[in-house]
Amino acid sequence: MIPAAKSSQRQQSPAEPSAQELRQRLPRVSVRGLQVSYDGNLAHSVLDDVDLELFPGEMVALLGSSGSGKSTLMKSLTGFAPISSGSVRVAGHDVCNLQRGELRTLRSEVGQVFQQFNLIGRLSVLNNVLTGALHRAGAINLVGGFSSAHRRRAMELLDRVGIAHKAKEPARSLSGGQQQRVAIARALMQEPELILADEPVASLDPKLADSVLTLLREIAIEDGIPVLVSLHVLPLALQHSDRIVGLKDGKMMLSGPCNELEPAALAALYEKDTDHELH
Ligand code: ADP
Ligand code: MG
């Protein structure tokens, strides 16, 4: 039995983590034994036995050549991929067994950034960011327009990503790097639990790619959210992420902190399968 004096000391200890701190230590995403097959035939699985954990505050690069399953893994986290088996938990949701209406909530809690930015070109930059608020508010909000609080928040976010001066311009008039910053601000407008960035720098030149990835990593750290970013350029992954998860033909080939990965294992990710070449 613990003596009373000792237990009260424990309660008062400043080292005792708060509920918020404890929450930050739990994985926000937990994937186990994930198998995905688009045609329902397990022999045609595009993801096979994939495990993944993402923790608040970390930037994880998903690496693999085209067709290796990166986008499918991201889609699995938001219920857009046909999961054959395994378990997928995202921000407290059991993605394989969502209750009624829960899918919409899940998607509202995941900020997404895409290679082609997916902005509405004719709308102003500010309005594009505001659309991020629609995920949570729903259609009702469209009736009265956006609140001044939403507008203020959208402007703050544009300031944060460095393009507040473009707020009134149509999104299509911005450069690629600027458009991706708008897309990031839009994702933040959702107050996301997780950010998924699918090839966010594939359409940008190296300097802009660097700055966009730097911004995403800052967001992961400052906002304490996990950012999963798919890339196919190894040096960018090594420079900008905490961990790398490597996929090849739908299988997880490697997973670990950047400084612990074997160069040979990284190179093997991109090696062609000789069996395939022979047939
Ligand atoms: P990556 O993002 O790494 O390029 P994808 O996840 O897009 O890989 O694709 C993985 C595999 O799944 C590929 O063989 C691709 O052709 C297939 N695939 C992707 N989406 C679909 C789909 N909607 N229907 C059928 N097959 C698909
Ligand atoms: Mg892809």
Side-chain angles (χ1 to χ4, degrees), residues 7 111 136 162 209 266:
S7 87
R136 277 184 199 263
L266 287 165

Side-chain angles (χ1 to χ4, degrees), residues 38-39 46 64-73 75 198-199 230 247:
Y38 281 103
D39 64 4
V46 296
S65 51
S66 181
S68 58
K70 303 182 296 296
S71 296
T72 300
L73 178 52
K75 285 178 192 164
D198 196 355
E199 306 267 8
S230 70
L247 288 178

Side-chain angles (χ1 to χ4, degrees), residues 27-253:
R28 190 72 53 87
V29 169
S30 181
V31 173
R32 288 271 172 277
L34 173 64
Q35 192 162 24
V36 171
S37 164
Y38 281 103
D39 64 4
N41 182 344
L42 296 186
H44 302 160
S45 293
V46 296
L47 287 179
D48 187 12
D49 200 20
V50 170
D51 297 332
L52 175 73
E53 277 195 331
L54 300 175
F55 288 84
E58 66 174 353
M59 175 116 151
V60 176
L62 190 54
L63 216 54
S65 51
S66 181
S68 58
K70 303 182 296 296
S71 296
T72 300
L73 178 52
M74 290 200 177
K75 285 178 192 164
S76 303
L77 303 182
T78 47
F80 280 111
I83 296 172
S84 310
S85 62
S87 71
V88 178
R89 294 196 65 84
V90 176
H93 304 284
D94 177 355
V95 180
C96 301
N97 296 292
L98 291 170
Q99 305 300 309
R100 207 161 163 252
E102 206 184 342
L103 185 62
R104 191 194 144 106
T105 309
L106 165 70
R107 289 178 184 166
S108 77
E109 290 172 356
V110 180
Q112 299 212 66
V113 178
F114 304 95
Q115 177 178 350
Q116 296 305 333
F117 326 126
N118 294 11
L119 301 179
I120 304 170
R122 65 191 157 73
L123 285 189
S124 71
V125 163
L126 180 67
N127 279 333
N128 268 280
V129 176
L130 281 164
T131 62
L134 290 175
H135 282 273
R136 277 184 199 263
I140 300 161
N141 214 30
L142 279 176
V143 179
F146 293 102
S147 69
S148 55
H150 275 133
R151 289 174 177 278
R152 226 177 7 257
R153 166 111 180 107
M155 279 308 297
E156 281 166 13
L157 291 172
L158 281 173
D159 192 37
R160 181 173 180 190
V161 301
I163 45 169
H165 60 292
K166 298 281 184 186
K168 291 187 177 154
E169 310 212 356
R172 64 169 163 243
S173 69
L174 271 57
S175 70
Q178 290 170 334
Q179 289 198 39
Q180 200 55 301
R181 285 170 181 271
V182 178
I184 292 169
R186 177 182 59 188
L188 290 174
M189 194 70 198
Q190 290 175 236
E191 297 180 23
E193 298 275 337
L194 162 71
I195 290 182
L196 300 177
D198 196 355
E199 306 267 8
V201 299
S203 303
L204 304 179
D205 68 42
K207 202 166 154 223
L208 288 176
D210 236 42
S211 76
V212 163
L213 291 173
T214 301
L215 174 63
L216 285 170
R217 197 175 196 179
E218 272 168 21
I219 288 167
I221 295 167
E222 289 168 13
D223 296 16
I225 45 181
V227 175
L228 180 64
V229 57
S230 70
L231 296 168
H232 52 248
V233 184
L234 176 60
L236 281 180
L238 289 172
Q239 190 187 341
H240 291 283
S241 64
D242 300 297
R243 279 197 294 131
I244 291 180
V245 171
L247 288 178
K248 187 176 182 186
D249 296 332
K251 295 193 175 58
M252 251 182 87
M253 299 290 285

